[in-house]
Amino acid sequence: METFAFYFLAISITILFTITVWSKNILNAMTALAAGMILISGLFFILRADFLGVVQLIVYVGAVMALYAFGMMFFDATGTVKEKNRPNFTVLLLGVLTAVLLVGIFTAPTLINGVPSFYPEMAGATNPQAVGLVLFTKYLVPFEVAAIMLLVAMIAGIILAGKKMDNSISRMSEEELKAQLEKDSK
Amino acid sequence: MIGLGHYLILASILFAIGLVGVIRRKNLLMLFFATEIMLNAANVAFAAISSYHNDLTGQMFAFFIVAVAASEVAVGLGLLILLYKKYGSLDLDDYTMLKG
């Protein structure tokens, strides 16, 4: 059963993310990305990382994708994206680097055999309980730093997106837009 | 029974897909999507190693990655909205004014 679930999730996620990367339409790409993120939380549940799966669902699908969806209001997302691609040396270099990285990823499990685990799963504690115990004792300082980072990001997002929110370019007439552009360029 | 290698192979495939997206796409919003895919691939690898190594540290790192991704989206989307308001395009080829 676990095997079937893993292969089903793995193949679906790969297909959905490939659609995200190759799609010419922003809305299609966003929908495929959201679906792929939901399925990734399924992988976390198989791995017995219950709390991480719930966080994945709430933060990624609930917050991040909703933010993108609202961001769509500001962009022209209905048409297809026109891009011109040309192969160059950078792509080759990055390909080689990726190959090196993959070798590193596959050899990493052979290295962790002798490493003692710092915070093993506690007996009798469910996954969210164990996560809470470790997060609020050993990782309290990074947790607080992450909280400050999120606060900074929230203020930055409000200030950046809310700037000149009172005069929207898309709702101006041509003359108003020209006057606004002249004023901005000064 | 699924081994750790399966999860790591899946994570690297997803990471490669995201990397191809970052290299290939010229639309800034699509670049953001590809970045999300790469962050998610890292999360899968962290959760898998955490589970098979019986150590919660990997899950902790995954949580902080989720926090970083959330703040990245908030700031990045704000910047994208400003850019789109100013220049009316999200294509990277339109933003070559820094070229000497």
Side-chain angles (χ1 to χ4, degrees):
Chain A
M1 194 61 207
E2 191 195 336
T3 315
F4 172 75
F6 173 79
Y7 280 111
F8 173 73
L9 289 172
I11 293 169
S12 316
I13 291 168
T14 313
I15 291 172
L16 282 167
F17 281 174
T18 313
I19 291 174
T20 305
V21 168
W22 256 270
S23 169
K24 290 271 179 210
N25 187 313
I26 291 183
L27 282 178
N28 289 352
M30 198 187 67
T31 316
L33 186 63
M37 298 227 180
I38 293 174
L39 293 180
I40 278 189
S41 77
L43 278 182
F44 292 154
F45 289 126
I46 295 178
L47 286 167
R48 297 187 310 281
D50 301 350
F51 192 66
L52 188 58
V54 174
V55 165
Q56 170 89 8
L57 275 181
I58 293 176
V59 174
Y60 264 118
V61 186
V64 169
M65 297 320 291
L67 201 58
Y68 276 127
F70 280 116
M72 286 298 147
M73 288 194 302
F74 295 92
F75 311 124
D76 181 21
T78 47
T80 56
V81 180
K82 281 191 224 45
E83 293 163 308
K84 56 174 193 289
N85 300 298
R86 51 193 185 284
N88 57 13
F89 177 70
T90 321
V91 176
L92 194 68
L93 184 72
L94 286 173
V96 172
L97 282 179
T98 315
V100 173
L101 190 72
L102 289 183
V103 171
I105 289 174
F106 289 131
T107 51
T110 61
L111 299 176
I112 64 173
N113 282 331
V115 181
S117 54
F118 290 127
Y119 309 114
E121 298 268 354
M122 285 153 233
T126 56
N127 176 264
Q129 286 171 336
V131 164
L133 281 174
V134 176
L135 189 63
F136 289 113
T137 53
K138 305 292 180 189
Y139 286 91
L140 189 58
V141 175
F143 181 78
E144 299 290 348
V145 172
I148 292 174
M149 183 186 68
L150 283 171
L151 179 67
V152 170
M154 186 182 78
I155 295 172
I158 291 171
I159 289 181
L160 285 175
K163 210 182 233 177
K164 295 186 197 157
M165 207 57 126
D166 44 337
N167 44 10
S168 158
I169 288 176
S170 55
R171 298 184 67 178
M172 284 178 186
S173 67
E174 278 305 306
E175 293 80 30
E176 282 174 330
L177 190 61
K178 267 180 195 153
Q180 179 72 37
L181 285 177
E182 268 173 31
K183 208 174 79 185
D184 282 347
S185 59
K186 269 173 201 167
Chain B
M1 190 61 195
I2 301 288
L4 177 57
H6 289 68
Y7 284 97
L8 291 181
I9 289 173
L10 174 66
S12 47
I13 288 173
L14 295 184
F15 192 86
I17 291 175
L19 199 63
V20 167
V22 168
I23 295 172
R24 199 177 152 273
R25 303 314 296 247
K26 283 286 164 64
N27 187 293
L28 276 170
L29 210 54
M30 295 296 194
L31 283 182
F32 268 72
F33 290 166
T35 319
E36 300 292 333
I37 293 175
M38 287 160 78
L39 287 167
N40 264 295
N43 270 352
V44 169
F46 270 126
I49 292 182
S50 160
S51 173
Y52 280 89
H53 195 46
N54 195 18
D55 190 339
L56 281 174
T57 316
Q59 289 182 35
M60 296 300 139
F61 262 90
F63 287 128
F64 293 122
I65 289 180
V66 170
V68 167
S71 39
E72 171 242 331
V73 168
V75 177
L77 215 59
L79 286 172
L80 280 193
I81 289 170
L82 268 191
L83 268 181
Y84 192 75
K85 271 187 181 173
K86 203 166 164 68
Y87 299 106
S89 158
L90 284 180
D91 200 318
L92 266 184
D93 287 336
D94 292 342
Y95 298 113
T96 51
M97 62 280 273
L98 278 183
K99 224 183 211 171

